[in-house]
Amino acid sequence: MSNLDPAQAARQSRMSLLAKSEPSRLAALFSALADVPAHTWLRTPEVGAVMVRGRMGGTGAPFNLGEMSVTRCALTLPTGEVGHAYVQGRNKDHATRAALVDALMQTARSDEVQANVLDPLTEEAATAKTARAAKAAATKVEFFTMVRGED
């Protein structure tokens, strides 16, 4: 059970979608937005590393799997909205676009950003998930036992 209110949960989901999106696809969708406002950096895009942890079987004791590079940034719009982004890899432009989308979703332009950027990304993510599931299902092996006669 989550302690997040619906607005926080929606923002968390949105930031996850932006972080997982293909950088070139986000760039193409973002370029369709008209009149993107200037921004002021709170934290310029910077590359770092995070430790990825895992668990055996999803329930075992946690262990350090390895490091992964990430890029993070934070910015503010002239109207005061703050956008944050953490993205996998070393793509500073991707992090900047994701933070701008996060900030714009807090403005009156949220419907425009939702329709032009987030909805297409959501549909593409769902399509990719369905394709992965179908590919995995094609390799599924069904085991069963037949009983011969009765004892």
Side-chain angles (χ1 to χ4, degrees), residues 86-110:
Y86 282 80
V87 299
Q88 180 179 345
R90 305 173 64 86
N91 193 329
K92 293 180 180 182
D93 291 334
H94 184 203
T96 301
R97 286 185 198 97
L100 279 167
V101 169
D102 180 44
L104 286 170
M105 284 300 292
Q106 300 169 52
T107 68
R109 296 181 62 188
S110 63

Side-chain angles (χ1 to χ4, degrees), residues 14-147:
R14 179 172 63 240
M15 292 177 79
S16 174
L17 176 68
L18 291 166
K20 294 173 186 173
S21 68
E22 191 65 37
S24 60
R25 184 63 180 140
L26 178 58
L29 293 170
F30 188 79
S31 67
L33 292 178
D35 190 35
V36 176
H39 59 275
T40 305
W41 291 112
L42 298 175
R43 173 177 287 141
T44 59
E46 55 189 11
V47 177
V50 296
M51 180 61 67
V52 178
R53 301 195 78 190
R55 291 179 184 267
M56 291 300 286
T59 58
F63 64 93
N64 293 336
L65 187 62
E67 291 184 351
M68 176 179 84
S69 62
V70 295
T71 305
R72 69 178 181 176
C73 70
L75 52 81
T76 184
L77 299 179
T79 52
E81 293 81 7
V82 177
H84 299 277
Y86 282 80
V87 299
Q88 180 179 345
R90 305 173 64 86
N91 193 329
K92 293 180 180 182
D93 291 334
H94 184 203
T96 301
R97 286 185 198 97
L100 279 167
V101 169
D102 180 44
L104 286 170
M105 284 300 292
Q106 300 169 52
T107 68
R109 296 181 62 188
S110 63
D111 291 337
E112 174 193 1
V113 175
Q114 181 74 40
N116 293 326
V117 178
L118 297 175
D119 287 345
L121 287 176
T122 302
E123 290 173 20
E124 291 164 11
T127 301
K129 183 177 181 178
T130 302
R132 279 193 311 273
K135 187 175 179 180
T139 64
K140 184 176 180 181
V141 177
E142 298 280 346
F143 292 98
F144 61 92
T145 303
M146 293 183 60
V147 177

